[in-house]
Amino acid sequence: MNSHLTIEPFFDPKTWTISYVVSDDATSHAAILDPVLDFDLKSGRTSTESADQMLAYVKEHGLIVDWILETHAHADHLSAARYLQQQVGGQVAIGEHIREVQATFKKLYNLERNFLPDGSQFDHLFTDGETFKLGTLEVTALLVPGHTPADMAYLVDGNLFVGDTMFMPDVGTARADFPGGDAPTLYRSIRRLLSLPPQTKMFVCHDYPKGRDPAWETTVAEQRASNIHVRDGISEDEFVAMRKARDATLEVPTLLLPSIQINVRAGQMPPADDNGVSYLKIPLNALTKLP
Ligand SMILES: [Fe+2]
């Protein structure tokens, strides 16, 4: 276990996101996880600087991209999944509960009639526990709702990509107040992940370090020993009380409204207006509170 795969992290300092390329050393088959499309809110311009770094890595190592995996519909960055797919192929996939997220946000943004909240924008929707091969590696998709109803974690041969369920031990856990988010559900999802073997490596999707350099790799054992929100001994009730109190203090993420409307489309821009330009919508006084 672990000796025959390569995990390459890509840290985006603008959104504190860590994307990954995971590859099977024996066959060069690879998956890209949670790629970032750069977006400048002030100018409305997207760019592919971050995604192109992943692309260069894939090309340099001659990798065959089978999958572009999203852990969830991110609220802090736009997804580069479709851009990367155009460059290197692979199926864009997410958890099947994305349908609920799509239905919620179709309503909020009043999206066009033919945007169907059925997940068809993605190439594949994972069910809980679904397994697939990445070259010789076995991958298991795990449903870990709570941060959003659709969050997935991906277990690749003893390496767990946890998305936004958990952060590094000194940072804790993700908020649970987005539409469809739920703190008790998040607690149960996290306990499920923490029931994996203690040596399981954990790779987080964000880091918000205070007084140290960004980091993204930990283990189940380290999380159980020292995660500030969910280490062993913290009950569901204690966690839920902490999460609710903390979430009440958090602002809406800067890129939530732009990000979600791209990410429920699997990284596709909204259909262009009759002048050929694609627009994002900002609903006024509709997102009055979270959730
Ligand atoms: Fe998130």
Side-chain angles (χ1 to χ4, degrees):
M1 183 168 98
N2 291 3
S3 54
H4 52 286
L5 68 119
T6 303
I7 297 171
E8 184 72 16
F10 294 82
F11 176 65
D12 172 32
K14 288 194 204 80
T15 63
W16 307 93
T17 302
I18 302 104
S19 310
Y20 298 93
V21 176
V22 186
S23 55
D24 175 26
D25 295 344
T27 64
S28 296
H29 283 265
I32 294 172
L33 282 104
D34 292 324
V36 172
L37 183 71
D38 304 307
F39 178 60
D40 179 53
L41 184 62
K42 294 193 282 295
S43 64
R45 284 192 200 99
T46 63
S47 67
T48 57
E49 213 174 292
S50 297
D52 288 340
Q53 286 172 18
M54 302 188 90
L55 209 51
Y57 175 84
V58 163
K59 289 190 173 158
E60 189 189 330
H61 293 85
L63 303 179
I64 304 149
V65 176
D66 292 342
W67 293 96
I68 301 174
L69 304 174
E70 299 283 4
T71 52
H72 63 298
H74 300 273
D76 63 290
H77 68 266
L78 279 57
S79 167
R82 284 293 176 211
Y83 167 73
L84 285 171
Q85 184 183 46
Q86 284 156 13
Q87 310 297 317
V88 291
Q91 293 191 73
V92 178
I94 200 164
E96 62 174 341
H97 289 273
I98 190 66
R99 297 183 187 111
E100 292 156 40
V101 178
Q102 289 176 321
T104 300
F105 286 102
K106 178 176 184 176
K107 219 169 137 197
L108 177 72
Y109 294 114
N110 194 26
L111 295 179
E112 69 277 9
R113 191 167 301 172
N114 60 7
F115 175 87
L116 299 178
D118 62 358
S120 58
Q121 300 77 3
F122 295 82
D123 302 313
H124 184 78
L125 299 181
F126 290 115
T127 56
D128 186 21
E130 187 174 340
T131 59
F132 60 96
K133 285 276 185 194
L134 188 64
T136 62
L137 308 171
E138 169 121 329
V139 186
T140 306
L142 300 167
L143 175 64
V144 283
H147 171 59
T148 78
D151 280 65
M152 300 301 287
Y154 299 101
L155 182 63
V156 188
D157 219 17
N159 300 275
L160 184 66
F161 295 87
V162 294
D164 280 8
T165 53
M166 301 183 76
F167 299 136
M168 293 300 283
D170 62 337
V171 181
T173 57
R175 65 197 297 172
D177 61 340
F178 288 159
D182 184 61
T185 306
L186 179 60
Y187 181 85
R188 285 170 218 153
S189 292
I190 289 170
R191 292 319 305 183
R192 180 184 186 194
L193 295 180
L194 294 180
S195 71
L196 289 165
Q199 70 276 17
T200 305
K201 289 187 182 170
M202 250 192 204
F203 295 86
V204 301
C205 184
H206 289 291
D207 190 34
Y208 306 100
K210 285 196 184 101
R212 60 161 174 77
D213 288 338
W216 38 81
E217 183 179 339
T218 179
T219 62
V220 165
E222 284 168 8
Q223 295 281 29
R224 289 182 60 174
S226 61
N227 186 289
I228 56 167
H229 296 163
V230 279
R231 64 182 175 272
D232 285 358
I234 295 181
S235 70
E236 181 175 324
D237 287 350
E238 286 170 305
F239 173 79
V240 169
M242 176 285 302
R243 203 56 273 169
K244 286 194 171 150
R246 188 168 154 69
D247 289 350
T249 70
L250 299 175
E251 288 186 4
V252 174
T254 310
L255 292 184
L256 181 133
L257 288 170
S259 299
I260 298 274
Q261 58 193 299
I262 299 293
N263 296 343
V264 294
R265 299 177 191 274
Q268 200 92 345
M269 297 296 148
D273 273 18
D274 54 10
N275 61 358
V277 177
S278 188
Y279 291 82
L280 291 172
K281 286 181 168 184
I282 302 291
L284 294 178
N285 303 317
L287 188 76
T288 47
K289 64 177 179 68
L290 288 175

